[in-house]
Amino acid sequence: VSAFLLNRSSDLDLFFIIYKFYSFSVKKMMDDNNLVRHMNACETMGGANYICTDKTGTLTRNKMHVVSLYNNGSKVNVNDIDHEHTEHYSNKFTDKYYFCLRDALVNNVDIELDGNGDIIMASSSKTDFAFYDLLRGFKENLQRKYTQLDRLKFHSDRKKMSTIVKRDDGKYYIYMKGAPEVVISACTYYLRPNGDGVNELRQDDLRRLDDITKEYSSLTLRNLAIAMKEISASEFNNFQSTKMNTNHLNYEIEKSGFTLIGIAAINDALRPGVPTSVALCHNAFVKVIMITGDDIRIAEAIAKNAGIINQNENYLSITGKQFIERIGGIVCKTCTMDTDKCSCPKTLGQAKLKFGEDLDEDYLNSKIKKERVHDMEAFKEIVKHLRVIARARAIDKYALVLGLRELDNVVAVTGDGTNDASALSKADVGFAMGKTGTDVARDAADIIILDDNFNSIVHAIKWGRNIFDNIRKFLQFQLSVNFSAVLLVFVSSCIGSESPITAIQMLWINLIMDSLGSLALSTEDPSDELLYRKPHSKREYIINYTMWKMIIFQS
């Protein structure tokens, strides 16, 4: 009877203590700006050995400012412009050039303004805010003078944004801004620095523009090219008629014939403490991979400043397109076809509908879609030295997470956009941005970073390892007490003696004495020493060989 009561009370005690411990840890993690949505993510984070992080807003401040403009002839330092002068732009730009630049920016930012020029609705893009601040610095009236007909919004796969307007004189124009290599490839001409006419883009001009973007990138400045094109009414009507049947990433109207206005360089500084936090990750044997939509040159420069890239080691930076090509994409294990062409059911319910509900469940499970990286050998070689994936798309991020998990790694991923949801849900621990993240990203994540700061992820690693250690301490203490009590009662019963511990005393030991001791062990705060050792393996038992020896010896 005593052994039975001990067993039942121990079960309740164990469940209660562990539940309270997790609740305690979740509340404490809130102080470090980690809002935990799924309790098991706390412990899982302690075993993470890869962090796939975004750049903008996570490693950087996400407070962008245009610091330089290239007008196809020279670089103009925005900070040197006399904003107090009556003709505020006249000391750097001619009237004709400035008016073209102004129209291209005012009509192609995703910001709605009231009658006073104040923001009433805006996209989450900090790039648009950077251009808004630039124009306000010029004391420019930001009310749009032309009728907006259509807008092709920015997408991580498109790397550009376009707006079609109709001017008062009846002419149609399309304004585009985006990644230099994308926008410049659609340009046939460039606007002269004085704004008086255009010149044809030649190979020498392309090399000059490439040198400018390289120079900006080396200074960790984000490059955006700005362009425009006049179109006819028939071209616009044809675009409207074919828009619904066209891939939203590649519209015919955006492919050629543009005039390059210039290149803007935008500064987005690293957050304070990011290099220190990345160094702590390296000390904790956690590899950090930066995934960004920026140009590979600026991505490398920022990764070096953040400490993700150590120049003394052999590292690999690669674009998302190159990454997918080298690993052969994602295929289905079940049918071995490319994941886009695979028609296998995704769930057991869909499998029953397709093959019949009477079939064996194991057979149906074998027919469900299971994704894998096509060329795992190539993937293994890439991830050995991989530090940066630039010009990344949602599929690139997803493929990286899929491959790392297939190699039995514990992967943490950060994301803020709707297109990041697949990678966040696939990762062992998904981190969504609390300030700039979309609702879809937050719903797919396990932990929400309230301050959008990479430093908070390091705190999550520390808490994850602390939770795992504290559970082990708690279990070792609890099992030692229980084993010794059970053994004492069992031996006493076998030799025919009266039990030295009554049932009530045994319940008292379990519910009061060792509960308080367990709480003391399980609520210890994390220490910095936790970040100077390897993470525990995904396959590691929570009670290991050493613990069993200690439990038996102590009992």
Side-chain angles (χ1 to χ4, degrees), residues 270 290 299-311 315 388:
L270 281 176
M290 186 174 78
E300 275 193 18
I302 290 178
K304 288 174 182 176
N305 289 347
I308 294 173
I309 290 177
N310 183 350
Q311 296 185 5
Y315 68 88
V388 173

Side-chain angles (χ1 to χ4, degrees), residues 171-188:
K171 293 181 179 179
Y172 292 79
Y173 278 83
I174 176 170
Y175 297 105
M176 180 195 295
K177 71 174 188 291
E181 68 272 20
V182 175
V183 174
I184 293 174
S185 66
C187 291
T188 309

Side-chain angles (χ1 to χ4, degrees), residues 4-41:
F4 174 77
L5 289 173
L6 172 63
N7 186 36
R8 296 280 70 78
S9 66
S10 296
D11 290 343
L12 293 171
D13 197 21
L14 189 67
F15 173 78
F16 173 76
I17 294 292
I18 291 179
Y19 176 77
K20 293 299 289 182
F21 170 57
Y22 269 106
S23 300
F24 169 80
S25 300
V26 166
K27 290 178 182 178
K28 293 289 286 184
M29 288 180 72
M30 277 284 289
D31 297 335
D32 290 326
N33 295 305
N34 287 288
L35 174 60
V36 180
R37 298 183 66 249
H38 302 131
M39 278 192 177
N40 63 317

Side-chain angles (χ1 to χ4, degrees), residues 421-466:
S422 58
L424 288 170
S425 58
K426 189 66 179 177
D428 294 284
V429 182
F431 287 89
M433 302 298 107
K435 290 182 178 179
T436 59
T438 62
D439 291 337
V440 175
R442 286 193 285 264
D443 288 341
D446 303 293
I447 298 176
I448 297 174
I449 306 175
L450 300 178
D451 60 350
D452 294 9
N453 196 335
F454 185 82
N455 301 347
S456 299
I457 301 175
V458 178
H459 290 305
I461 295 174
K462 191 190 297 185
W463 270 105
R465 295 186 179 189
N466 184 66

Side-chain angles (χ1 to χ4, degrees), residues 316-487:
L316 173 65
S317 300
I318 194 171
T319 65
K321 185 178 180 181
Q322 292 169 341
F323 175 67
I324 286 293
E325 287 175 352
R326 286 179 61 175
I327 66 173
I330 301 174
V331 296
C332 175
K333 286 183 182 179
T334 306
C335 64
T336 67
M337 292 183 66
D338 187 89
T339 186
D340 295 331
K341 300 176 182 178
C342 170
S343 59
C344 297
K346 296 181 180 179
T347 62
L348 183 61
Q350 292 178 359
K352 288 180 179 180
L353 290 174
K354 184 173 182 177
F355 298 107
E357 296 186 1
D358 298 333
L359 295 175
D360 182 66
E361 194 166 300
D362 291 335
Y363 172 78
L364 292 174
N365 282 324
S366 68
K367 296 296 181 180
I368 293 176
K369 181 177 181 178
K370 300 178 183 67
E371 295 175 322
R372 67 174 179 85
V373 172
H374 182 263
D375 190 347
M376 276 306 298
E377 292 303 317
F379 183 88
K380 288 178 185 177
E381 289 300 315
I382 290 172
V383 296
K384 280 181 182 178
H385 306 291
L386 182 63
R387 293 295 178 269
V388 173
I389 298 181
R391 293 299 183 212
R393 304 159 296 176
I395 186 64
D396 308 324
K397 196 176 204 176
Y398 183 80
L400 177 62
V401 175
L402 182 68
L404 288 174
R405 291 199 65 191
E406 201 168 336
L407 294 175
D408 225 22
N409 295 292
V410 179
V411 187
V413 173
T414 69
D416 56 4
T418 302
N419 55 343
D420 292 327
S422 58
L424 288 170
S425 58
K426 189 66 179 177
D428 294 284
V429 182
F431 287 89
M433 302 298 107
K435 290 182 178 179
T436 59
T438 62
D439 291 337
V440 175
R442 286 193 285 264
D443 288 341
D446 303 293
I447 298 176
I448 297 174
I449 306 175
L450 300 178
D451 60 350
D452 294 9
N453 196 335
F454 185 82
N455 301 347
S456 299
I457 301 175
V458 178
H459 290 305
I461 295 174
K462 191 190 297 185
W463 270 105
R465 295 186 179 189
N466 184 66
I467 289 169
F468 191 74
D469 283 1
N470 286 353
I471 290 176
R472 280 183 158 177
K473 294 174 187 176
F474 159 70
L475 288 174
Q476 184 170 320
F477 176 83
Q478 187 85 356
L479 291 175
S480 297
V481 173
N482 288 347
F483 280 1
S484 58
V486 168
L487 186 64

Side-chain angles (χ1 to χ4, degrees), residues 50-62:
Y50 273 94
I51 297 177
C52 303
T53 178
D54 287 338
K55 177 187 73 70
T56 305
T58 308
L59 298 175
T60 61
R61 295 173 182 268
N62 203 19

Side-chain angles (χ1 to χ4, degrees), residues 152 160 162 173-176 181-189 201 227-232 235 250-260:
L152 309 175
K160 60 188 174 186
S162 301
Y173 278 83
I174 176 170
Y175 297 105
M176 180 195 295
E181 68 272 20
V182 175
V183 174
I184 293 174
S185 66
C187 291
T188 309
Y189 310 96
L201 265 176
M228 66 177 183
K229 178 174 73 168
E230 183 180 357
I231 59 175
S232 64
E235 284 181 295
N250 195 16
Y251 297 103
E252 190 68 31
I253 201 170
E254 294 179 301
K255 287 184 177 180
S256 61
F258 279 83
T259 297
L260 179 68

Side-chain angles (χ1 to χ4, degrees), residues 231-245:
I231 59 175
S232 64
S234 60
E235 284 181 295
F236 173 71
N237 293 330
N238 184 56
F239 160 74
Q240 288 285 82
S241 62
T242 59
K243 180 180 178 182
M244 298 303 295
N245 301 322

